[in-house]
Amino acid sequence: MPVTMVPALDEAQILSDEDYLVLRAKQAFMVDPHAAKAWMLTAKTLYPNNFAVQFEAYNIVKSAKNVREAAKCLETLLQQFQEDAELWNEVEALTRALRSDCPDPEPSFLRAVFAHLSTDAQQQLLQVTADRSKDTMEHCRLLMILLSRFPHAVVKHGPRLVDTLLSAEKHSHFQVANNCYRKLLVCELVPLMGASPVPVELPPRQLYRLMHKMIEYYLSCLTSQDPNEPDPWEKLFLGFRSLATMLNWDIASVFGQPWGREIYWQQILEKHEHLHPSLDPESHEVRQHSYCTGIFFLRCLHEYISSIHSGDHQLLLLESFVMPPSEREAAEPPSKRRKHDETVPLVTVDLVTATSTGNPPSNSSAGVPNSNPSTSSGRDRINSTTSVVTNLTATLRCWTMVNSKEPVQRGVTKLLQLLNVDKWLSLFHQDVQLYRGEVNELVNSLLQMDSPDNQSSNAVPMNSTIVKNLRLASAFFYLRQLPAAVDRALQIVGMLSSLPSGGTLSPNLLKQTHAQRHLHLLSLSRTPVLQYCVHLILSTLQQHFVSQPPGGGATTTELDMCVGNMLVLIQLELGDAEQPMPGALELMSKLVSHIRTRPSFSYPIFTNYIINTDILEEIMHLAIRQENPVVFEIAPPSSTQLTSQRRISTRGVDKGAKEDFKSAMRRQIARSFEPLEPLLIKFLTSEQDYVRRLLWPQAKTYVPRM
Amino acid sequence: MQPITMSEKQSLRKSEFPACAREALIKVEQLCVPQASGRPPSAKEMDLAMEIMAEFIFCEVDRRGHSRKLTCIQQLQLAQLLCDYFAGVQFGSSGPQGAIIGPNGDTARNTLFLSLFPPTTSKNRAQALVQLVSMAISTKNKPVLDSTGIWMQQLGCTSKLVLQLAEGLVKDYFVLVPKAVTRLQDLPSLAPHFTANFLTTVAEMYGCPEQKDGFSPPPAALLEVVTQWVSDNPRLCLAALVVNLQPLLPLGSIPMAALTPFAGLFKWCVLSPLLATSKSRKARGGTANGSSNGSSDGKVNVKKESSDNGLHNGDQTIPKECPLYSRLHLALLESLVENVYPSVHRTNSVKDVVSVQHLASIVEPVQNWYIKQVMMSESKPQELTQEAHEALELALDRLGQSVQVALAANCAYGNKQYLLTQLDTLKHLPESRLLRIVLKTHHTPLF
């Protein structure tokens, strides 16, 4: 029967049969997806070994967004056509999608396709892609995806991946521990190995290396405050537990618990007490204990270091001042006081929070380690996150434990050296020395920092010089080398401008305590540091003043100058009359009583520096009272004064002179609103001689030991 | 066993319908279902059973043997009663007298069912069967549907009785209340064997050679349900092959071979574009031919359903037939492939899914259509219209795809050479490139 062809699909006539079928499928796709699939199904059965046909089938179901079908096609392709480049483009797009969370439709679809592959195909796909990858990072990442999806493969691939990552990091010459290989190793591989259903076998040497790398990584996250690692300690402890489990450490379980310093401490302490002191440092037991104690110590130390940096201003532990117990308290029977160990220093800090001002006396036992475990642990749990003092004492007691057994001490020291935490440790060591009263050692180490080597580096910031001088001043004060202490204090006052301004007066510098010593965590800002220096000089002058034998020794002039200086200095702590610092009022009245006993009082710079109303009123009262008025000379002779003018003095009976004195005092009272801090800084810088002359009577010839 | 005698009939006569029907069912079960001894019922017992059924259950005759008929209400009551009886009675385990312990409850139920509706069933009783199954579908009565599935297979899915049943069901569910189709969605999971056999029967019903053009389009609702069933249940078309009937049948019965719906439904898909074209051509032909539209088949008065199939608006990219056929065709192909590469692992695939003769029977109507189209052509030389060309292309593509996938999936049984020879007669038709590729692929040298 004669029939002519409709000239449709002209070009199709020259296509191969395979291409013809693919073309029909593609054409049908736009009009009727079902027909397209029917064509593809037919083509697949006709040419099961033709890549183009099979791949087109995949593309068609892919454009139809049919995940299940696409997965089926892809699986067939993976089984049959592993060598085809076009397939690998697709596989690479898929593995790229797996590694990202890109919400675009294409990657999301590919991820869904992957999820619908059989587990065998998933594993094969990742394995083969990883093997093909020339980039190490790529290779490792793909293996990591494989391992995270197939925990059972960790046993096989984990150890090899550890090697790969370690050597990749080594050959990349990174300067920092926080690098991409380390991150992959520590953050992903270690937890995967820890969670492996079948224990992963690694040689102990390798495990220790991993341990170091891991701790180093998280410590560097801590110091750099990496925003991608919000909770490094949590992760570090989990990783530590994984590795400890792989090392068969029985203590591993301790590190699986949520963090609580006291809970950990009790368990580690118990292990410690059962540890035989003569064990070989390389033994399993000692190593285990050294690492656990070391890492626990580091966390305590970090909590302490962070807490002294957590406020607006850094805190610095310094020797502070003890108020002798009142007579009534001193008369208490000793048995009542014995519950406090007097050799343990009282440590105070000014709380920024409004809950309390410093450590109330009831808390003064915070420095006593485990005086009563049941109550102290309960209290510590409450305070652990808030109190700097408990952080300090907890770290101290841990440090004491570390050093109590020689093999452990060696193990921990070695670990700490490897981890390069000198910066934290040196700060802490100084605190330990001060706390334990090993102050000579502290002074020596501080003075060594003064060596020309260090100074030549020229990069010593002003702040660290102030810190050093504060430490030295407080150390000399402790050693009763008062002139040296005052000298450092005066140097600090000269450098105050380099400190951040602000801060408030501390009510805790002077404490009444049964303990022999008082340490204070001073806030490093202008006001408290000035207050500390002033208090230290005041305290020194007071001792100088008290130590003078009655009726002998110091000349009247010297004595007046000493009292005058103290009056100037006390003004800071008297401050606002409503809230004088503890002890300030008492000291002022002592000084006034002293003047009262004298016929005259001469302090030529009085009008320059004394503006406190209370002091001025007392002086006024002493000068104009009916009986035995004290004769005051309180202004220096001035060249600008006319000869007719008199020195401001109450000497003589000149009525005009008395009026002059009164008006001079009124002028001083008028100045009482002047800020005190600049005034005192000016005093301690301009009138240094007034202070020095007293402490070094033969200043020209006498050089104090330093 | 208590002997059942003619006096039983006397006692049954004491109660009225439907109470007597229920009692009669118990008696019939006792008579037909082999007892613990395994002895099949004697001819005398079977005769008695037949009499009881006729008089007390279906009420076809009165006590004097005069024929009578149940009222419509009574017919429904009977269907309800049978449904309850088949669903509620633990056949074989606890008979009415507690003495009947059959080997298998399903077997007992099937035995009773086959006895109630023997191949010689009268027209009225066939009507009762339609009502019973229709009610079982709507009440999801699995026991009745399972027995019906077996009954269909034993009688043959293309037998007259089964065709009557299918017709009745189609009328109930797709013609009278087209909205009822949603109730049928879970039928394949409820009663796969019944659904598969039902599919085979309806496939034949609309695609049998006696039909004009070899194919008459099924109601749209039926097409939709069938398409959905096959798409959603890739194993549905194979269901009848999977069931081993032997243990479910009365003692001594021979299981009949299953016939799958594949060939029949493929025929729908292949012939539907051709029919759509010839119909639209007729429609364009003028009012003279209008009378033939819709009255060609009195047996199934559903011709109007196909009117939307003929829609065409000149845009050649839009298929001129109902898009469901394309989906159904794909679902059938996927079902065939599913048999070979199951998505869920199965131990072995089913063989002998579709016979080559059955598949080859699609060729003839295509040939006939082509010859008719060319004859009707007014142009010289005689050629197909553009529209007819596209229809033919679609039909040949679908035929080629069906044959190819069936052969590749190893689903066809019988003499493959016969199928290829039949296909070869279409080779000269235009747009048969796929057919030529299929022939080339499966061609085996004769020497």
Side-chain angles (χ1 to χ4, degrees), chain A residues 594-607:
Chain A
H594 168 80
I595 297 172
R596 186 181 289 133
T597 62
R598 302 186 55 89
S600 67
F601 179 74
S602 161
Y603 191 59
I605 53 173
F606 187 102
T607 50

Side-chain angles (χ1 to χ4, degrees), chain A residues 26-66:
Chain A
K26 279 182 171 167
Q27 283 175 336
F29 187 71
M30 302 308 295
V31 191
D32 181 357
H34 295 114
K37 282 174 81 176
W39 275 111
M40 260 359 283
L41 203 60
T42 313
K44 274 161 79 177
T45 61
L46 272 168
Y47 309 105
N49 300 315
N50 182 298
F51 173 77
V53 170
Q54 301 289 328
F55 194 66
E56 196 55 39
Y58 168 75
N59 276 332
I60 282 178
V61 288
K62 190 179 158 189
S63 8
K65 298 267 171 268
N66 186 332

Side-chain angles (χ1 to χ4, degrees), chain B residues 103-229:
Chain B
N104 187 313
D106 289 338
T107 313
R109 192 188 64 225
N110 295 333
T111 306
L112 180 58
F113 195 97
L114 287 164
S115 307
L116 284 173
F117 305 102
T120 55
T121 298
S122 68
K123 201 182 161 215
N124 282 348
R125 201 183 288 190
Q127 195 50 43
L129 176 62
V130 171
Q131 269 178 331
L132 170 63
V133 180
S134 189
M135 184 176 282
I137 290 173
S138 69
T139 58
K140 302 195 193 306
N141 189 324
K142 185 172 162 59
V144 170
L145 295 177
D146 284 349
S147 289
T148 311
I150 287 164
W151 177 86
M152 290 168 93
Q153 188 161 336
Q154 286 304 98
L155 265 67
C157 286
T158 53
S159 68
K160 195 173 157 238
L161 258 183
V162 178
L163 280 167
Q164 272 174 18
L165 170 65
E167 258 172 50
L169 293 177
V170 168
K171 207 168 175 180
D172 278 1
Y173 277 89
F174 302 101
V175 182
L176 299 180
V177 261
K179 289 269 167 59
V181 292
T182 47
R183 311 251 297 271
L184 298 171
Q185 269 175 6
D186 51 356
L187 199 57
S189 52
L190 180 74
H193 187 225
F194 165 75
T195 316
N197 282 335
F198 176 72
L199 274 181
T200 306
T201 306
V202 290
E204 292 307 315
M205 209 161 88
Y206 293 94
C208 64
E210 295 95 68
Q211 301 274 10
K212 203 162 174 274
D213 302 321
F215 172 63
S216 128
L222 175 64
L223 174 64
E224 196 182 322
V225 168
V226 168
T227 306
Q228 196 177 348
W229 280 349

Side-chain angles (χ1 to χ4, degrees), chain A residues 1-9 12-18 20-21 24 31-35 37-39 41-42 45-47 68-69 72, chain B residues 317-319 323 326-327 329-330 333-334 337-338 343 370 374 381-383 386 389 393 397 400-401 404-405 408 430-431 433-434 437-438 440-441:
Chain A
M1 199 162 289
V3 170
T4 55
M5 285 281 210
V6 175
L9 292 167
Q13 302 305 319
I14 52 165
L15 290 175
S16 70
D17 288 345
E18 290 92 326
Y20 169 75
L21 291 179
R24 291 301 307 270
V31 191
D32 181 357
H34 295 114
K37 282 174 81 176
W39 275 111
L41 203 60
T42 313
T45 61
L46 272 168
Y47 309 105
R68 210 173 60 92
E69 289 292 324
K72 227 161 76 185
Chain B
T317 56
I318 289 180
S326 177
R327 204 177 139 209
H329 179 66
L330 173 65
L333 295 179
E334 283 176 335
V337 175
E338 173 75 10
S343 52
Y370 177 72
V374 174
Q382 287 175 315
E383 62 173 29
Q386 171 76 18
H389 228 298
E393 183 183 13
D397 285 343
Q401 288 168 354
Q404 165 57 27
V405 173
E431 306 307 340
R433 181 160 179 184
L434 177 63
I437 294 171
V438 173
K440 194 168 74 188
T441 306

